[in-house]
mmCIF file with all atom_site columns, all heavy atoms in Angstrom:
data_model
loop_
_atom_site.group_PDB
_atom_site.id
_atom_site.type_symbol
_atom_site.label_atom_id
_atom_site.label_alt_id
_atom_site.label_comp_id
_atom_site.label_asym_id
_atom_site.label_entity_id
_atom_site.label_seq_id
_atom_site.pdbx_PDB_ins_code
_atom_site.Cartn_x
_atom_site.Cartn_y
_atom_site.Cartn_z
_atom_site.occupancy
_atom_site.B_iso_or_equiv
_atom_site.pdbx_formal_charge
_atom_site.auth_seq_id
_atom_site.auth_comp_id
_atom_site.auth_asym_id
_atom_site.auth_atom_id
_atom_site.pdbx_PDB_model_num
ATOM 1   N N   . ASP A 1 434 ? 8.816  -5.216  -11.189 1.00 0.00 ? 434 ASP A N   1
ATOM 2   C CA  . ASP A 1 434 ? 8.295  -5.517  -12.484 1.00 0.00 ? 434 ASP A CA  1
ATOM 3   C C   . ASP A 1 434 ? 9.271  -6.455  -13.127 1.00 0.00 ? 434 ASP A C   1
ATOM 4   O O   . ASP A 1 434 ? 10.425 -6.121  -13.458 1.00 0.00 ? 434 ASP A O   1
ATOM 5   C CB  . ASP A 1 434 ? 8.100  -4.268  -13.263 1.00 0.00 ? 434 ASP A CB  1
ATOM 6   C CG  . ASP A 1 434 ? 7.089  -3.269  -12.675 1.00 0.00 ? 434 ASP A CG  1
ATOM 7   O OD1 . ASP A 1 434 ? 6.387  -3.688  -11.768 1.00 0.00 ? 434 ASP A OD1 1
ATOM 8   O OD2 . ASP A 1 434 ? 6.989  -2.165  -13.127 1.00 0.00 ? 434 ASP A OD2 1
ATOM 9   N N   . LEU A 1 435 ? 8.838  -7.710  -13.463 1.00 0.00 ? 435 LEU A N   1
ATOM 10  C CA  . LEU A 1 435 ? 9.696  -8.692  -13.960 1.00 0.00 ? 435 LEU A CA  1
ATOM 11  C C   . LEU A 1 435 ? 10.225 -8.444  -15.378 1.00 0.00 ? 435 LEU A C   1
ATOM 12  O O   . LEU A 1 435 ? 11.149 -9.140  -15.842 1.00 0.00 ? 435 LEU A O   1
ATOM 13  C CB  . LEU A 1 435 ? 8.981  -10.030 -13.925 1.00 0.00 ? 435 LEU A CB  1
ATOM 14  C CG  . LEU A 1 435 ? 8.560  -10.493 -12.522 1.00 0.00 ? 435 LEU A CG  1
ATOM 15  C CD1 . LEU A 1 435 ? 7.997  -11.996 -12.647 1.00 0.00 ? 435 LEU A CD1 1
ATOM 16  C CD2 . LEU A 1 435 ? 9.618  -10.424 -11.497 1.00 0.00 ? 435 LEU A CD2 1
ATOM 17  N N   . GLU A 1 436 ? 9.711  -7.555  -16.050 1.00 0.00 ? 436 GLU A N   1
ATOM 18  C CA  . GLU A 1 436 ? 10.299 -7.205  -17.371 1.00 0.00 ? 436 GLU A CA  1
ATOM 19  C C   . GLU A 1 436 ? 11.710 -6.596  -17.270 1.00 0.00 ? 436 GLU A C   1
ATOM 20  O O   . GLU A 1 436 ? 12.473 -6.650  -18.185 1.00 0.00 ? 436 GLU A O   1
ATOM 21  C CB  . GLU A 1 436 ? 9.428  -6.185  -18.106 1.00 0.00 ? 436 GLU A CB  1
ATOM 22  C CG  . GLU A 1 436 ? 9.227  -4.891  -17.403 1.00 0.00 ? 436 GLU A CG  1
ATOM 23  C CD  . GLU A 1 436 ? 8.204  -4.039  -17.986 1.00 0.00 ? 436 GLU A CD  1
ATOM 24  O OE1 . GLU A 1 436 ? 7.246  -4.540  -18.749 1.00 0.00 ? 436 GLU A OE1 1
ATOM 25  O OE2 . GLU A 1 436 ? 8.093  -2.835  -17.650 1.00 0.00 ? 436 GLU A OE2 1
ATOM 26  N N   . GLN A 1 437 ? 12.103 -6.125  -16.014 1.00 0.00 ? 437 GLN A N   1
ATOM 27  C CA  . GLN A 1 437 ? 13.391 -5.639  -15.855 1.00 0.00 ? 437 GLN A CA  1
ATOM 28  C C   . GLN A 1 437 ? 14.334 -6.874  -15.454 1.00 0.00 ? 437 GLN A C   1
ATOM 29  O O   . GLN A 1 437 ? 13.969 -7.666  -14.584 1.00 0.00 ? 437 GLN A O   1
ATOM 30  C CB  . GLN A 1 437 ? 13.446 -4.667  -14.638 1.00 0.00 ? 437 GLN A CB  1
ATOM 31  C CG  . GLN A 1 437 ? 12.672 -3.409  -14.892 1.00 0.00 ? 437 GLN A CG  1
ATOM 32  C CD  . GLN A 1 437 ? 13.241 -2.557  -16.022 1.00 0.00 ? 437 GLN A CD  1
ATOM 33  O OE1 . GLN A 1 437 ? 14.520 -2.570  -16.215 1.00 0.00 ? 437 GLN A OE1 1
ATOM 34  N NE2 . GLN A 1 437 ? 12.444 -1.881  -16.706 1.00 0.00 ? 437 GLN A NE2 1
ATOM 35  N N   . PRO A 1 438 ? 15.418 -7.043  -16.201 1.00 0.00 ? 438 PRO A N   1
ATOM 36  C CA  . PRO A 1 438 ? 16.285 -8.222  -15.933 1.00 0.00 ? 438 PRO A CA  1
ATOM 37  C C   . PRO A 1 438 ? 16.737 -8.368  -14.466 1.00 0.00 ? 438 PRO A C   1
ATOM 38  O O   . PRO A 1 438 ? 16.714 -9.501  -13.946 1.00 0.00 ? 438 PRO A O   1
ATOM 39  C CB  . PRO A 1 438 ? 17.433 -8.013  -16.861 1.00 0.00 ? 438 PRO A CB  1
ATOM 40  C CG  . PRO A 1 438 ? 16.926 -7.156  -17.926 1.00 0.00 ? 438 PRO A CG  1
ATOM 41  C CD  . PRO A 1 438 ? 15.885 -6.222  -17.297 1.00 0.00 ? 438 PRO A CD  1
ATOM 42  N N   . ALA A 1 439 ? 17.024 -7.299  -13.854 1.00 0.00 ? 439 ALA A N   1
ATOM 43  C CA  . ALA A 1 439 ? 17.491 -7.395  -12.382 1.00 0.00 ? 439 ALA A CA  1
ATOM 44  C C   . ALA A 1 439 ? 16.328 -7.783  -11.549 1.00 0.00 ? 439 ALA A C   1
ATOM 45  O O   . ALA A 1 439 ? 16.536 -8.534  -10.486 1.00 0.00 ? 439 ALA A O   1
ATOM 46  C CB  . ALA A 1 439 ? 18.079 -6.006  -11.981 1.00 0.00 ? 439 ALA A CB  1
ATOM 47  N N   . ALA A 1 440 ? 15.129 -7.350  -11.824 1.00 0.00 ? 440 ALA A N   1
ATOM 48  C CA  . ALA A 1 440 ? 14.013 -7.814  -11.071 1.00 0.00 ? 440 ALA A CA  1
ATOM 49  C C   . ALA A 1 440 ? 13.680 -9.280  -11.201 1.00 0.00 ? 440 ALA A C   1
ATOM 50  O O   . ALA A 1 440 ? 13.324 -10.003 -10.362 1.00 0.00 ? 440 ALA A O   1
ATOM 51  C CB  . ALA A 1 440 ? 12.710 -6.996  -11.408 1.00 0.00 ? 440 ALA A CB  1
ATOM 52  N N   . LEU A 1 441 ? 13.827 -9.787  -12.487 1.00 0.00 ? 441 LEU A N   1
ATOM 53  C CA  . LEU A 1 441 ? 13.634 -11.166 -12.758 1.00 0.00 ? 441 LEU A CA  1
ATOM 54  C C   . LEU A 1 441 ? 14.663 -12.041 -12.014 1.00 0.00 ? 441 LEU A C   1
ATOM 55  O O   . LEU A 1 441 ? 14.315 -13.094 -11.428 1.00 0.00 ? 441 LEU A O   1
ATOM 56  C CB  . LEU A 1 441 ? 13.735 -11.447 -14.293 1.00 0.00 ? 441 LEU A CB  1
ATOM 57  C CG  . LEU A 1 441 ? 13.455 -12.842 -14.707 1.00 0.00 ? 441 LEU A CG  1
ATOM 58  C CD1 . LEU A 1 441 ? 12.080 -13.305 -14.353 1.00 0.00 ? 441 LEU A CD1 1
ATOM 59  C CD2 . LEU A 1 441 ? 13.671 -12.991 -16.240 1.00 0.00 ? 441 LEU A CD2 1
ATOM 60  N N   . GLU A 1 442 ? 15.913 -11.547 -11.939 1.00 0.00 ? 442 GLU A N   1
ATOM 61  C CA  . GLU A 1 442 ? 16.883 -12.231 -11.237 1.00 0.00 ? 442 GLU A CA  1
ATOM 62  C C   . GLU A 1 442 ? 16.549 -12.295 -9.727  1.00 0.00 ? 442 GLU A C   1
ATOM 63  O O   . GLU A 1 442 ? 16.693 -13.310 -9.058  1.00 0.00 ? 442 GLU A O   1
ATOM 64  C CB  . GLU A 1 442 ? 18.258 -11.588 -11.377 1.00 0.00 ? 442 GLU A CB  1
ATOM 65  C CG  . GLU A 1 442 ? 19.358 -12.260 -10.602 1.00 0.00 ? 442 GLU A CG  1
ATOM 66  C CD  . GLU A 1 442 ? 20.719 -11.603 -10.769 1.00 0.00 ? 442 GLU A CD  1
ATOM 67  O OE1 . GLU A 1 442 ? 20.780 -10.561 -11.559 1.00 0.00 ? 442 GLU A OE1 1
ATOM 68  O OE2 . GLU A 1 442 ? 21.719 -11.960 -10.143 1.00 0.00 ? 442 GLU A OE2 1
ATOM 69  N N   . ALA A 1 443 ? 16.102 -11.168 -9.155  1.00 0.00 ? 443 ALA A N   1
ATOM 70  C CA  . ALA A 1 443 ? 15.665 -11.102 -7.796  1.00 0.00 ? 443 ALA A CA  1
ATOM 71  C C   . ALA A 1 443 ? 14.470 -11.990 -7.513  1.00 0.00 ? 443 ALA A C   1
ATOM 72  O O   . ALA A 1 443 ? 14.410 -12.644 -6.448  1.00 0.00 ? 443 ALA A O   1
ATOM 73  C CB  . ALA A 1 443 ? 15.281 -9.659  -7.432  1.00 0.00 ? 443 ALA A CB  1
ATOM 74  N N   . PHE A 1 444 ? 13.591 -12.100 -8.459  1.00 0.00 ? 444 PHE A N   1
ATOM 75  C CA  . PHE A 1 444 ? 12.412 -12.998 -8.340  1.00 0.00 ? 444 PHE A CA  1
ATOM 76  C C   . PHE A 1 444 ? 12.986 -14.474 -8.193  1.00 0.00 ? 444 PHE A C   1
ATOM 77  O O   . PHE A 1 444 ? 12.462 -15.204 -7.311  1.00 0.00 ? 444 PHE A O   1
ATOM 78  C CB  . PHE A 1 444 ? 11.520 -12.857 -9.599  1.00 0.00 ? 444 PHE A CB  1
ATOM 79  C CG  . PHE A 1 444 ? 10.595 -13.967 -9.981  1.00 0.00 ? 444 PHE A CG  1
ATOM 80  C CD1 . PHE A 1 444 ? 9.414  -14.003 -9.314  1.00 0.00 ? 444 PHE A CD1 1
ATOM 81  C CD2 . PHE A 1 444 ? 10.954 -14.863 -10.909 1.00 0.00 ? 444 PHE A CD2 1
ATOM 82  C CE1 . PHE A 1 444 ? 8.477  -14.951 -9.668  1.00 0.00 ? 444 PHE A CE1 1
ATOM 83  C CE2 . PHE A 1 444 ? 10.039 -15.923 -11.241 1.00 0.00 ? 444 PHE A CE2 1
ATOM 84  C CZ  . PHE A 1 444 ? 8.818  -16.000 -10.615 1.00 0.00 ? 444 PHE A CZ  1
ATOM 85  N N   . GLU A 1 445 ? 13.867 -14.951 -9.036  1.00 0.00 ? 445 GLU A N   1
ATOM 86  C CA  . GLU A 1 445 ? 14.348 -16.262 -8.912  1.00 0.00 ? 445 GLU A CA  1
ATOM 87  C C   . GLU A 1 445 ? 15.167 -16.481 -7.664  1.00 0.00 ? 445 GLU A C   1
ATOM 88  O O   . GLU A 1 445 ? 15.012 -17.553 -7.064  1.00 0.00 ? 445 GLU A O   1
ATOM 89  C CB  . GLU A 1 445 ? 15.187 -16.598 -10.136 1.00 0.00 ? 445 GLU A CB  1
ATOM 90  C CG  . GLU A 1 445 ? 14.385 -16.566 -11.431 1.00 0.00 ? 445 GLU A CG  1
ATOM 91  C CD  . GLU A 1 445 ? 15.260 -16.768 -12.665 1.00 0.00 ? 445 GLU A CD  1
ATOM 92  O OE1 . GLU A 1 445 ? 16.511 -16.798 -12.537 1.00 0.00 ? 445 GLU A OE1 1
ATOM 93  O OE2 . GLU A 1 445 ? 14.723 -16.890 -13.758 1.00 0.00 ? 445 GLU A OE2 1
ATOM 94  N N   . VAL A 1 446 ? 15.889 -15.456 -7.224  1.00 0.00 ? 446 VAL A N   1
ATOM 95  C CA  . VAL A 1 446 ? 16.683 -15.651 -5.989  1.00 0.00 ? 446 VAL A CA  1
ATOM 96  C C   . VAL A 1 446 ? 15.722 -15.699 -4.808  1.00 0.00 ? 446 VAL A C   1
ATOM 97  O O   . VAL A 1 446 ? 15.890 -16.590 -3.849  1.00 0.00 ? 446 VAL A O   1
ATOM 98  C CB  . VAL A 1 446 ? 17.673 -14.436 -5.768  1.00 0.00 ? 446 VAL A CB  1
ATOM 99  C CG1 . VAL A 1 446 ? 18.174 -14.369 -4.383  1.00 0.00 ? 446 VAL A CG1 1
ATOM 100 C CG2 . VAL A 1 446 ? 18.769 -14.538 -6.849  1.00 0.00 ? 446 VAL A CG2 1
ATOM 101 N N   . THR A 1 447 ? 14.609 -14.930 -4.785  1.00 0.00 ? 447 THR A N   1
ATOM 102 C CA  . THR A 1 447 ? 13.678 -14.913 -3.662  1.00 0.00 ? 447 THR A CA  1
ATOM 103 C C   . THR A 1 447 ? 12.996 -16.260 -3.604  1.00 0.00 ? 447 THR A C   1
ATOM 104 O O   . THR A 1 447 ? 12.763 -16.752 -2.430  1.00 0.00 ? 447 THR A O   1
ATOM 105 C CB  . THR A 1 447 ? 12.661 -13.803 -3.949  1.00 0.00 ? 447 THR A CB  1
ATOM 106 O OG1 . THR A 1 447 ? 13.325 -12.574 -3.972  1.00 0.00 ? 447 THR A OG1 1
ATOM 107 C CG2 . THR A 1 447 ? 11.682 -13.795 -2.719  1.00 0.00 ? 447 THR A CG2 1
ATOM 108 N N   . ILE A 1 448 ? 12.629 -16.847 -4.730  1.00 0.00 ? 448 ILE A N   1
ATOM 109 C CA  . ILE A 1 448 ? 12.011 -18.179 -4.684  1.00 0.00 ? 448 ILE A CA  1
ATOM 110 C C   . ILE A 1 448 ? 12.914 -19.197 -4.099  1.00 0.00 ? 448 ILE A C   1
ATOM 111 O O   . ILE A 1 448 ? 12.574 -20.002 -3.269  1.00 0.00 ? 448 ILE A O   1
ATOM 112 C CB  . ILE A 1 448 ? 11.523 -18.553 -6.052  1.00 0.00 ? 448 ILE A CB  1
ATOM 113 C CG1 . ILE A 1 448 ? 10.339 -17.764 -6.464  1.00 0.00 ? 448 ILE A CG1 1
ATOM 114 C CG2 . ILE A 1 448 ? 11.204 -20.120 -6.103  1.00 0.00 ? 448 ILE A CG2 1
ATOM 115 C CD1 . ILE A 1 448 ? 9.882  -17.956 -7.888  1.00 0.00 ? 448 ILE A CD1 1
ATOM 116 N N   . ALA A 1 449 ? 14.199 -19.152 -4.512  1.00 0.00 ? 449 ALA A N   1
ATOM 117 C CA  . ALA A 1 449 ? 15.238 -20.110 -3.951  1.00 0.00 ? 449 ALA A CA  1
ATOM 118 C C   . ALA A 1 449 ? 15.398 -19.979 -2.509  1.00 0.00 ? 449 ALA A C   1
ATOM 119 O O   . ALA A 1 449 ? 15.514 -20.874 -1.737  1.00 0.00 ? 449 ALA A O   1
ATOM 120 C CB  . ALA A 1 449 ? 16.510 -19.983 -4.769  1.00 0.00 ? 449 ALA A CB  1
ATOM 121 N N   . ASP A 1 450 ? 15.344 -18.701 -2.092  1.00 0.00 ? 450 ASP A N   1
ATOM 122 C CA  . ASP A 1 450 ? 15.537 -18.359 -0.681  1.00 0.00 ? 450 ASP A CA  1
ATOM 123 C C   . ASP A 1 450 ? 14.391 -18.858 0.156   1.00 0.00 ? 450 ASP A C   1
ATOM 124 O O   . ASP A 1 450 ? 14.607 -19.435 1.258   1.00 0.00 ? 450 ASP A O   1
ATOM 125 C CB  . ASP A 1 450 ? 15.619 -16.797 -0.490  1.00 0.00 ? 450 ASP A CB  1
ATOM 126 C CG  . ASP A 1 450 ? 15.880 -16.415 0.868   1.00 0.00 ? 450 ASP A CG  1
ATOM 127 O OD1 . ASP A 1 450 ? 16.801 -16.852 1.572   1.00 0.00 ? 450 ASP A OD1 1
ATOM 128 O OD2 . ASP A 1 450 ? 14.970 -15.613 1.410   1.00 0.00 ? 450 ASP A OD2 1
ATOM 129 N N   . LEU A 1 451 ? 13.142 -18.670 -0.326  1.00 0.00 ? 451 LEU A N   1
ATOM 130 C CA  . LEU A 1 451 ? 11.979 -19.168 0.406   1.00 0.00 ? 451 LEU A CA  1
ATOM 131 C C   . LEU A 1 451 ? 12.080 -20.716 0.529   1.00 0.00 ? 451 LEU A C   1
ATOM 132 O O   . LEU A 1 451 ? 11.807 -21.285 1.639   1.00 0.00 ? 451 LEU A O   1
ATOM 133 C CB  . LEU A 1 451 ? 10.737 -18.824 -0.282  1.00 0.00 ? 451 LEU A CB  1
ATOM 134 C CG  . LEU A 1 451 ? 10.080 -17.504 -0.003  1.00 0.00 ? 451 LEU A CG  1
ATOM 135 C CD1 . LEU A 1 451 ? 8.753  -17.295 -0.869  1.00 0.00 ? 451 LEU A CD1 1
ATOM 136 C CD2 . LEU A 1 451 ? 9.663  -17.357 1.461   1.00 0.00 ? 451 LEU A CD2 1
ATOM 137 N N   . LEU A 1 452 ? 12.414 -21.392 -0.510  1.00 0.00 ? 452 LEU A N   1
ATOM 138 C CA  . LEU A 1 452 ? 12.460 -22.834 -0.465  1.00 0.00 ? 452 LEU A CA  1
ATOM 139 C C   . LEU A 1 452 ? 13.552 -23.378 0.480   1.00 0.00 ? 452 LEU A C   1
ATOM 140 O O   . LEU A 1 452 ? 13.424 -24.252 1.186   1.00 0.00 ? 452 LEU A O   1
ATOM 141 C CB  . LEU A 1 452 ? 12.641 -23.386 -1.900  1.00 0.00 ? 452 LEU A CB  1
ATOM 142 C CG  . LEU A 1 452 ? 11.486 -23.082 -2.857  1.00 0.00 ? 452 LEU A CG  1
ATOM 143 C CD1 . LEU A 1 452 ? 11.891 -23.716 -4.250  1.00 0.00 ? 452 LEU A CD1 1
ATOM 144 C CD2 . LEU A 1 452 ? 10.204 -23.719 -2.405  1.00 0.00 ? 452 LEU A CD2 1
ATOM 145 N N   . GLU A 1 453 ? 14.637 -22.594 0.493   1.00 0.00 ? 453 GLU A N   1
ATOM 146 C CA  . GLU A 1 453 ? 15.808 -22.968 1.364   1.00 0.00 ? 453 GLU A CA  1
ATOM 147 C C   . GLU A 1 453 ? 15.414 -22.766 2.861   1.00 0.00 ? 453 GLU A C   1
ATOM 148 O O   . GLU A 1 453 ? 15.773 -23.558 3.654   1.00 0.00 ? 453 GLU A O   1
ATOM 149 C CB  . GLU A 1 453 ? 16.995 -22.114 1.015   1.00 0.00 ? 453 GLU A CB  1
ATOM 150 C CG  . GLU A 1 453 ? 18.274 -22.531 1.868   1.00 0.00 ? 453 GLU A CG  1
ATOM 151 C CD  . GLU A 1 453 ? 19.457 -21.738 1.433   1.00 0.00 ? 453 GLU A CD  1
ATOM 152 O OE1 . GLU A 1 453 ? 19.399 -20.967 0.511   1.00 0.00 ? 453 GLU A OE1 1
ATOM 153 O OE2 . GLU A 1 453 ? 20.509 -21.813 2.124   1.00 0.00 ? 453 GLU A OE2 1
ATOM 154 N N   . LEU A 1 454 ? 14.695 -21.657 3.091   1.00 0.00 ? 454 LEU A N   1
ATOM 155 C CA  . LEU A 1 454 ? 14.326 -21.359 4.467   1.00 0.00 ? 454 LEU A CA  1
ATOM 156 C C   . LEU A 1 454 ? 13.424 -22.488 5.084   1.00 0.00 ? 454 LEU A C   1
ATOM 157 O O   . LEU A 1 454 ? 13.595 -22.792 6.245   1.00 0.00 ? 454 LEU A O   1
ATOM 158 C CB  . LEU A 1 454 ? 13.669 -19.982 4.593   1.00 0.00 ? 454 LEU A CB  1
ATOM 159 C CG  . LEU A 1 454 ? 14.493 -18.816 4.747   1.00 0.00 ? 454 LEU A CG  1
ATOM 160 C CD1 . LEU A 1 454 ? 13.684 -17.506 4.716   1.00 0.00 ? 454 LEU A CD1 1
ATOM 161 C CD2 . LEU A 1 454 ? 15.363 -18.832 5.982   1.00 0.00 ? 454 LEU A CD2 1
ATOM 162 N N   . VAL A 1 455 ? 12.546 -22.939 4.303   1.00 0.00 ? 455 VAL A N   1
ATOM 163 C CA  . VAL A 1 455 ? 11.605 -24.031 4.838   1.00 0.00 ? 455 VAL A CA  1
ATOM 164 C C   . VAL A 1 455 ? 12.215 -25.433 4.736   1.00 0.00 ? 455 VAL A C   1
ATOM 165 O O   . VAL A 1 455 ? 11.670 -26.420 5.258   1.00 0.00 ? 455 VAL A O   1
ATOM 166 C CB  . VAL A 1 455 ? 10.265 -24.007 4.054   1.00 0.00 ? 455 VAL A CB  1
ATOM 167 C CG1 . VAL A 1 455 ? 9.592  -22.695 4.215   1.00 0.00 ? 455 VAL A CG1 1
ATOM 168 C CG2 . VAL A 1 455 ? 10.436 -24.386 2.561   1.00 0.00 ? 455 VAL A CG2 1
#
Side-chain angles (χ1 to χ4, degrees):
D434 298 347
L435 298 188
E436 61 192 15
Q437 297 293 330
L441 182 60
E442 180 182 357
F444 162 82
E445 294 177 355
V446 169
T447 301
I448 289 174
D450 179 58
L451 271 179
L452 296 178
E453 183 178 355
L454 274 176
V455 300

